[in-house]
């Protein structure tokens, strides 16, 4: 880190804010970011690199969620875990479809799913 970066108030604020964010808030923000990236793709404001990044970010986010939900020590109720895992399989198929096509329907569905999950997580945390 250079000397300016160490004294840059914006970077210091961002670093301190990341350290103080709870798990639910971080998860909610991650899903909100995923929705915003896909929204840029849907609106045509994302170039090819941004489209690829958006799809990859979503895949990684949902893969992490799948891994977390599959852990035996998960604190979520079994029925909710099953529903989220089922939803994650739909997301996997939609993301795969978007790698080979430019259809709008799966893109809109993923944006809605990510936004709804983000809103739910942020509402639970009191940040929404």
């Amino acid at each position: 880190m250079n000397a300016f970066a160490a004294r840059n108030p914006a970077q210091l604020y961002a670093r301190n804010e990341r350290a103080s964010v709870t798990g639910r808030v971080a998860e909610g923000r991650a899903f909100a970011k995923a929705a915003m990236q896909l929204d840029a793709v849907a609106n045509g404001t994302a170039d090819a690199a941004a489209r690829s990044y958006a799809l990859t970010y979503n895949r990684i986010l949902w893969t992490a969620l799948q891994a977390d939900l599959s852990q035996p020590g998960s604190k979520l109720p079994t029925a909710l875990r099953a529903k989220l895992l089922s939803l994650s399989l739909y997301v996997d198929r939609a993301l795969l479809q978007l790698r080979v096509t430019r259809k709008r329907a799966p893109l809109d569905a993923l944006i809605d799913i990510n936004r709804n999950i983000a809103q739910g997580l942020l509402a639970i945390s009191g940040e929404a």
Side-chain angles (χ1 to χ4, degrees), residues 38 41-43 51 55 90 93-111:
L38 291 176
V41 172
N43 292 328
R51 176 186 171 83
L55 296 177
Y90 170 81
R93 288 189 302 272
L95 288 169
L96 183 60
Q97 184 180 14
L98 288 169
R99 288 281 181 194
V100 297
T101 185
R102 301 251 182 214
K103 291 183 180 178
R104 180 74 189 233
L107 196 51
D108 289 339
L110 290 177
I111 292 167

Side-chain angles (χ1 to χ4, degrees), residues 46-63:
D47 61 14
R51 176 186 171 83
S52 178
Y53 181 83
L55 296 177
T56 300
Y57 180 88
N58 274 267
R59 182 182 48 79
I60 291 169
L61 178 62
W62 280 91
T63 300

Side-chain angles (χ1 to χ4, degrees), residues 72-88:
S74 176
K75 294 179 183 176
L76 289 177
T78 304
L80 178 57
R81 282 190 0 227
K83 288 178 183 178
L84 286 170
L85 282 168
S86 178
L87 183 60
S88 75

